[in-house]
Amino acid sequence: MGEIVRLVLLRLVDENLLFSGQACEKLKTRGAFETRFVSQVESDSGDRKQIYNILTAFGLLPSGSDCDIVRMVCESVSTRAAQMCSAGLAGVINRMRESRSQETLKITVGVDGSVYKLHPSFKDRFHATVRQLTPGCDITFIQSEEGSGRGAALISAVACKMACMMGQ
């Protein structure tokens, strides 16, 4: 997400809509705007201090308007990312419901990943969009707590399903 935000910011600079049309060298460097900055920008309390600090660390002198634009770009990119992830998962879930010929599918989905865990609103946007795209499904999301090991999300989902089956 960070790289997409960086490219959008550069386009806005080129169109003289951001930073008075002046981009610093760091902003021109591929990979310099990390995804963690997107999370930090969106975590700003509204006083723009966090956004201002991130941008000044890049060597920029942003105005209040520049900070607001950067926040809108970050929100747009992270919302789009959550929606794209949701669409893929919703397609799989809908296909499962159809193949099982069930009116209502009750399913548990295990999720892992730093953006899901650390971004201030990605998780909520992701859940809301998946549920919107999967009518007729009762979805429970569980977050893997095991780190980024292979199959952590799958293992969490299987463990939850087994626990539910044993409890019935």
Side-chain angles (χ1 to χ4, degrees), residues 34-72:
E34 299 172 21
T35 298
R36 68 184 171 100
F37 297 143
V38 177
S39 296
Q40 291 169 0
V41 165
E42 290 190 59
S43 294
D44 187 81
S45 63
D47 62 6
R48 302 183 186 122
K49 283 184 182 178
Q50 184 123 337
I51 302 168
Y52 184 84
N53 290 338
I54 291 167
L55 297 175
T56 56
F58 270 78
L60 297 161
L61 292 174
S63 66
S65 176
D66 289 335
C67 291
D68 292 341
I69 291 169
V70 169
R71 183 181 186 101
M72 285 191 293

Side-chain angles (χ1 to χ4, degrees), residues 13-47:
V13 168
D14 287 346
E15 294 176 7
N16 206 29
L17 298 170
L18 189 62
F19 310 131
S20 301
Q22 301 295 314
C24 62
E25 285 305 312
K26 190 170 181 183
L27 190 60
K28 293 178 184 177
T29 304
R30 183 179 181 162
F33 200 92
E34 299 172 21
T35 298
R36 68 184 171 100
F37 297 143
V38 177
S39 296
Q40 291 169 0
V41 165
E42 290 190 59
S43 294
D44 187 81
S45 63
D47 62 6

Side-chain angles (χ1 to χ4, degrees), residues 73-126:
V73 169
C74 289
E75 288 173 351
S76 297
V77 170
S78 66
T79 297
R80 177 180 174 266
Q83 290 170 338
M84 291 183 71
C85 291
S86 299
L89 178 59
V92 171
I93 292 171
N94 284 328
R95 184 73 165 187
M96 289 173 65
R97 184 179 56 78
E98 291 168 9
S99 71
R100 295 177 184 180
S101 301
Q102 293 179 328
E103 193 171 313
T104 302
L105 174 66
K106 184 175 173 112
I107 188 167
T108 299
V109 178
V111 186
D112 191 18
S114 58
V115 173
Y116 182 84
K117 290 179 182 180
L118 302 175
H119 187 279
S121 41
F122 185 92
K123 182 188 304 186
D124 293 335
R125 292 174 187 158
F126 175 74

